[in-house]
């Protein structure tokens, strides 16, 4: 059984130094820079612009992953009890495989929306208190005449705001994967889940 394919339609890119300083207090700016940046990177790359899957995946690795905290995502998706029992080597392996799954899924979605005059909209976000360490950034994706709201949950790290969860069509990514991972953990434990994810990634490489 294939893992549930989560489709994060809009994330990605490291902002310039000045923008990064602004991003420390404005997570919505980070999300917007991420979305606009990844699309610009694809449009300006002659190979990626033609829909080359490998090149788009490379751009996702370079531009998307630095703005995420998928180690935290992995921890929450696996669950507190299983994570506590996992060795550091198992945690690292889970993170590697899960991050690969999410990055490949995102790259696939970018290929699907390419050429559909997709637009990204950013509703105004209320100012956060200086003590805030977690926030939800709301966006809208307009593609093919349809509008889809997508929310990003971010948290503040020493390196700035990072995306760690996504809400699409009313379902948070971590909740979806936690339900799926629970079944795999019950059948094969941590090692079984690692093998499950690795097999899926290999089949879709």
């Amino acid at each position: 059984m294939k893992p549930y394919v989560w489709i994060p339609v809009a994330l990605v890119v490291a902002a310039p130094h000045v923008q990064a300083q602004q991003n420390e207090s404005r997570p919505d700016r980070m999300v917007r820079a991420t979305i606009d940046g990844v699309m610009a990177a694809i449009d300006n790359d002659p190979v990626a612009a033609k829909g080359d899957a490998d090149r788009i995946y490379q751009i996702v690795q370079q531009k998307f992953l630095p703005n995420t905290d998928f180690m935290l995502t992995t921890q929450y998706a696996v669950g507190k009890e299983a994570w506590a029992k996992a060795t550091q080597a198992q945690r690292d392996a889970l993170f590697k495989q899960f991050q690969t799954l999410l990055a490949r899924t995102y790259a696939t979605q970018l290929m699907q929306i390419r050429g559909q005059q997709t637009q990204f909209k950013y509703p105004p976000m209320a100012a956060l208190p200086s003590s805030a360490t977690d926030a939800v950034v709301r966006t809208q994706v307009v593609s093919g005449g349809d509008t889809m709201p997508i929310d990003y949950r971010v948290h503040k790290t020493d390196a700035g705001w990072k995306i760690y969860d996504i809400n699409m069509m009313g379902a948070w990514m971590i909740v979806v994967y936690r339900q799926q991972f629970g079944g795999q953990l019950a059948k094969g434990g941590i090692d079984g889940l690692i093998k499950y994810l690795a097999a899926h990634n290999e089949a879709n490489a």
Side-chain angles (χ1 to χ4, degrees):
M1 177 181 176
K2 287 187 177 181
Y4 180 93
V5 179
W6 183 261
I7 306 178
V9 186
L11 301 173
V12 211
V13 101
H17 177 67
V18 173
Q19 184 69 51
Q21 291 179 326
Q22 296 174 331
N23 287 347
E24 290 183 5
S25 58
R26 292 296 301 270
D28 54 328
R29 290 178 179 172
M30 180 276 291
V31 171
R32 181 166 187 162
T34 290
I35 294 168
D36 293 345
V38 72
M39 299 310 297
I42 291 174
D43 290 342
N44 293 329
D45 187 294
V47 178
K50 293 180 180 179
D52 184 89
D54 290 338
R55 183 56 187 144
I56 292 176
Y57 177 59
Q58 290 173 2
I59 290 175
V60 168
Q61 289 179 303
Q62 296 166 1
K63 303 295 185 178
F64 167 36
L65 297 185
N67 279 351
T68 66
D69 185 354
F70 281 158
M71 179 63 82
L72 183 63
T73 308
T74 304
Q75 178 179 345
Y76 286 164
V78 170
K80 184 176 181 180
E81 183 177 351
W83 188 258
K85 293 179 180 178
T87 66
Q88 188 59 53
Q90 289 174 322
R91 291 177 180 181
D92 291 343
L94 280 171
F95 164 67
K96 178 181 178 180
Q97 295 300 332
F98 192 29
Q99 180 171 255
T100 297
L101 169 64
L102 295 175
R104 287 195 182 281
T105 300
Y106 177 56
T108 298
Q109 182 64 10
L110 291 179
M111 290 177 59
Q112 294 176 356
I113 67 174
R114 189 179 54 84
Q116 296 184 29
Q117 297 182 330
T118 301
Q119 295 180 325
F120 303 96
K121 297 184 177 180
Y122 312 93
M125 181 179 181
L128 294 173
S130 59
S131 60
T133 58
D134 198 275
V136 174
V137 177
R138 306 191 187 283
T139 72
Q140 294 177 335
V141 178
V142 181
S143 182
D146 297 324
T147 299
M148 178 183 298
I150 300 180
D151 300 336
Y152 299 90
R153 188 173 294 281
V154 300
H155 78 125
K156 196 172 188 179
T157 72
D158 291 341
W161 291 95
K162 301 292 182 181
I163 297 166
Y164 72 93
D165 203 0
I166 307 164
N167 184 342
M168 177 181 287
M169 296 183 291
W172 285 100
M173 176 175 71
I174 287 175
V175 174
V176 171
Y177 278 114
R178 183 183 295 152
Q179 293 172 345
Q180 179 187 317
F181 288 0
Q184 294 300 319
L185 289 167
K187 290 190 296 184
I190 295 291
D191 289 333
L193 178 57
I194 294 170
K195 291 179 181 178
Y196 177 66
L197 292 174
H200 175 83
N201 288 331
E202 183 177 354
N204 289 276

